[in-house]
Amino acid sequence: MNLVVQKFGGTSVADPDRMRAVADHIARTRRQGANVAVVVSAMGKETDDLLHLASQVSKTRPGREMDMLITAGERKSVALLCMALADLGVAAASFTGSQAGIITDTAHQNAKILEVRADRLRQALDEGKVPVVGGAQGVSTDRDVTFLGRGGSDTTAVALAAALKADACEIYTDVSGVFTADPRIVPNARKLLHLSFEEMLEISATGGRVLALRSVEFARNHDVPLHVRSSFTWELGTMVDKEDLSMEQAIISAVTDDASEAKVTVAALPDRPGIAARLFRAMADQSVNVDMIVQNVSHDGTTDISFTVPMEDLDTSIEVARVLGPEIGGGEVSADRDIARVSLVGAGMKTHPGVAATMFETLAREGVNIEMISTSSIRISCIVREAQLETAVRSLHEAFKLEG
Ligand code: ADP
Ligand code: ASP
Ligand code: MG
């Protein structure tokens, strides 16, 4: 019998009606003759609510206790979904990440899966039950409860699909697939029927939160094809797999947006070997996740270095730069929270010149100033003012004729 892993995101189980609708969906998949293992997220905005609650109670918020708190959201979901399945006559059993054998490292709030010991899930499947596993959680090598980070339920689903050697991994969400842009910003965005892991990695890394980046990395590394689809309909969604169809595909697949980073500038650094090395080693030592880096042309032997970091790493990175700056002969440190990144992703751009030129011309026509640029072989990103992000996304979507 085929085995399907089905993951349902927060909106898909946001209220009792949606929870029952998901149970119906699972029951129907079973009637069609497949075995099902389920991964479910916390209901609606529950994860945000728990994070907010913690910030009202505590300033220190120790990681171990944060993980115990946040994973409670998914724990509620698995229990309720199993009850709804029982009402439909479907035998199901709920599992926390720990019970499901998801072993992680000890990095609280952003733990990585090291291993999946899936024997309890296999046993449940052998007994004809639907195992329902709490997403985004596991147990650490120190035997503490861990949270895999925002969007971590996607990773749980992929890891289980790999461990159980499932025939399919379906990610159900509130949109019917991966679109040429976030449909919330571009209402006439088009659903993409197929994407390679490489394209999806770039989309996830640059703000397309429909699949969490780590889940796509895991899927690529373990060759788990993904099907992103709507939990509200049965229509086919987007297939993401190793197939590279770039020869036949459009040059650009998607425009992405990301307003979650901030920019730090360290002015007047000496322009000599070892300065950037010391600055970014100091950032790395504090686990600051540096993204784009630009070093200006040197005048009088000094240069400015600007880089982007996730908003949550901003305070740490400023502190590191202020402490280290004078030691390495640097000047003023400044921060800018009002930046955003707009990116074009497409495997076809490898073989088509002129994509960058058209991107920059389009932004220029809209009066959008480009502050930083970075590229990979299948992506171009520009840092712009956050207030102009939506204009930038819409104009690029139109210029590259991506609409449906
Ligand atoms: P879930 O709770 O199911 O995990 P998420 O909110 O994490 O759902 O992801 C789905 C959301 O991703 C959509 O509602 C959509 O606004 C957003 N999104 C951003 N970029 C894209 C894109 N290119 N295609 C589809 N959805 C996108
Ligand atoms: N509920 C968690 C979050 O909102 C994990 C997940 O749904 O993937 O990030
Ligand atoms: Mg998600």
PDB file of all heavy atoms in Angstrom, residues 41-42 47 74 136 147 149-154, ligand 2:
ATOM      1  N   SER A  41       0.606  21.513  12.432  1.00  0.00           N
ATOM      2  CA  SER A  41       1.132  22.712  13.105  1.00  0.00           C
ATOM      3  C   SER A  41       0.181  23.147  14.213  1.00  0.00           C
ATOM      4  O   SER A  41      -0.930  22.626  14.339  1.00  0.00           O
ATOM      5  CB  SER A  41       1.201  23.886  12.118  1.00  0.00           C
ATOM      6  OG  SER A  41       2.158  23.680  11.144  1.00  0.00           O
ATOM      7  N   ALA A  42       0.602  24.159  14.952  1.00  0.00           N
ATOM      8  CA  ALA A  42      -0.264  24.753  15.962  1.00  0.00           C
ATOM      9  C   ALA A  42      -1.419  25.478  15.273  1.00  0.00           C
ATOM     10  O   ALA A  42      -1.293  25.938  14.139  1.00  0.00           O
ATOM     11  CB  ALA A  42       0.540  25.733  16.810  1.00  0.00           C
ATOM     12  N   THR A  47       1.206  29.933  17.741  1.00  0.00           N
ATOM     13  CA  THR A  47       2.649  30.063  18.013  1.00  0.00           C
ATOM     14  C   THR A  47       3.003  31.518  18.325  1.00  0.00           C
ATOM     15  O   THR A  47       3.734  31.806  19.270  1.00  0.00           O
ATOM     16  CB  THR A  47       3.478  29.537  16.821  1.00  0.00           C
ATOM     17  OG1 THR A  47       3.044  28.218  16.521  1.00  0.00           O
ATOM     18  CG2 THR A  47       4.962  29.533  17.132  1.00  0.00           C
ATOM     19  N   GLU A  74       1.484  22.671  19.131  1.00  0.00           N
ATOM     20  CA  GLU A  74       1.347  21.501  18.261  1.00  0.00           C
ATOM     21  C   GLU A  74       0.764  20.316  19.029  1.00  0.00           C
ATOM     22  O   GLU A  74       0.063  19.485  18.463  1.00  0.00           O
ATOM     23  CB  GLU A  74       2.700  21.124  17.647  1.00  0.00           C
ATOM     24  CG  GLU A  74       3.066  21.877  16.372  1.00  0.00           C
ATOM     25  CD  GLU A  74       3.489  23.320  16.559  1.00  0.00           C
ATOM     26  OE1 GLU A  74       3.771  23.708  17.713  1.00  0.00           O
ATOM     27  OE2 GLU A  74       3.538  24.062  15.563  1.00  0.00           O
ATOM     28  N   ALA A 136       7.474  20.539  13.981  1.00  0.00           N
ATOM     29  CA  ALA A 136       8.480  21.497  14.461  1.00  0.00           C
ATOM     30  C   ALA A 136       9.034  21.179  15.833  1.00  0.00           C
ATOM     31  O   ALA A 136       9.482  22.062  16.549  1.00  0.00           O
ATOM     32  CB  ALA A 136       7.903  22.922  14.440  1.00  0.00           C
ATOM     33  N   PHE A 147      12.402  22.870  19.860  1.00  0.00           N
ATOM     34  CA  PHE A 147      11.569  23.445  18.800  1.00  0.00           C
ATOM     35  C   PHE A 147      12.476  23.650  17.590  1.00  0.00           C
ATOM     36  O   PHE A 147      13.617  24.114  17.719  1.00  0.00           O
ATOM     37  CB  PHE A 147      11.003  24.787  19.291  1.00  0.00           C
ATOM     38  CG  PHE A 147      10.137  25.507  18.280  1.00  0.00           C
ATOM     39  CD1 PHE A 147       9.018  24.889  17.738  1.00  0.00           C
ATOM     40  CD2 PHE A 147      10.430  26.810  17.887  1.00  0.00           C
ATOM     41  CE1 PHE A 147       8.215  25.549  16.812  1.00  0.00           C
ATOM     42  CE2 PHE A 147       9.634  27.480  16.964  1.00  0.00           C
ATOM     43  CZ  PHE A 147       8.523  26.845  16.428  1.00  0.00           C
ATOM     44  N   GLY A 149      12.113  25.695  15.115  1.00  0.00           N
ATOM     45  CA  GLY A 149      12.091  27.042  14.524  1.00  0.00           C
ATOM     46  C   GLY A 149      10.824  27.264  13.722  1.00  0.00           C
ATOM     47  O   GLY A 149      10.076  26.331  13.428  1.00  0.00           O
ATOM     48  N   ARG A 150      10.596  28.553  13.363  1.00  0.00           N
ATOM     49  CA  ARG A 150       9.391  28.906  12.629  1.00  0.00           C
ATOM     50  C   ARG A 150       9.341  28.127  11.315  1.00  0.00           C
ATOM     51  O   ARG A 150      10.346  27.996  10.626  1.00  0.00           O
ATOM     52  CB  ARG A 150       9.333  30.413  12.328  1.00  0.00           C
ATOM     53  CG  ARG A 150       9.356  31.334  13.530  1.00  0.00           C
ATOM     54  CD  ARG A 150       8.363  30.991  14.626  1.00  0.00           C
ATOM     55  NE  ARG A 150       6.971  30.926  14.245  1.00  0.00           N
ATOM     56  CZ  ARG A 150       6.072  31.895  14.411  1.00  0.00           C
ATOM     57  NH1 ARG A 150       6.448  33.034  14.950  1.00  0.00           N
ATOM     58  NH2 ARG A 150       4.823  31.721  14.073  1.00  0.00           N
ATOM     59  N   GLY A 151       8.172  27.643  11.014  1.00  0.00           N
ATOM     60  CA  GLY A 151       8.014  26.862   9.785  1.00  0.00           C
ATOM     61  C   GLY A 151       8.573  25.453   9.898  1.00  0.00           C
ATOM     62  O   GLY A 151       8.617  24.699   8.926  1.00  0.00           O
ATOM     63  N   GLY A 152       8.989  25.068  11.104  1.00  0.00           N
ATOM     64  CA  GLY A 152       9.655  23.783  11.309  1.00  0.00           C
ATOM     65  C   GLY A 152       8.794  22.560  11.013  1.00  0.00           C
ATOM     66  O   GLY A 152       9.317  21.466  10.794  1.00  0.00           O
ATOM     67  N   SER A 153       7.469  22.745  10.983  1.00  0.00           N
ATOM     68  CA  SER A 153       6.598  21.599  10.674  1.00  0.00           C
ATOM     69  C   SER A 153       6.851  21.079   9.264  1.00  0.00           C
ATOM     70  O   SER A 153       6.698  19.881   9.004  1.00  0.00           O
ATOM     71  CB  SER A 153       5.126  21.993  10.799  1.00  0.00           C
ATOM     72  OG  SER A 153       4.827  22.322  12.121  1.00  0.00           O
ATOM     73  N   ASP A 154       7.223  21.968   8.359  1.00  0.00           N
ATOM     74  CA  ASP A 154       7.561  21.524   6.993  1.00  0.00           C
ATOM     75  C   ASP A 154       8.734  20.540   7.063  1.00  0.00           C
ATOM     76  O   ASP A 154       8.739  19.507   6.395  1.00  0.00           O
ATOM     77  CB  ASP A 154       7.974  22.718   6.110  1.00  0.00           C
ATOM     78  CG  ASP A 154       6.838  23.723   5.905  1.00  0.00           C
ATOM     79  OD1 ASP A 154       5.669  23.334   6.070  1.00  0.00           O
ATOM     80  OD2 ASP A 154       7.138  24.895   5.583  1.00  0.00           O
TER      81      ASP A 154
HETATM   82  N1  ASP B   2       3.721  26.528  14.435  1.00  0.00           N
HETATM   83  C1  ASP B   2       5.103  26.799  14.137  1.00  0.00           C
HETATM   84  C2  ASP B   2       5.253  28.147  13.419  1.00  0.00           C
HETATM   85  O1  ASP B   2       4.318  28.872  13.263  1.00  0.00           O
HETATM   86  C3  ASP B   2       5.748  25.733  13.353  1.00  0.00           C
HETATM   87  C4  ASP B   2       5.124  25.478  12.029  1.00  0.00           C
HETATM   88  O2  ASP B   2       3.942  25.632  11.839  1.00  0.00           O
HETATM   89  O3  ASP B   2       5.846  25.106  11.117  1.00  0.00           O
HETATM   90  O4  ASP B   2       6.320  28.499  13.014  1.00  0.00           O
END
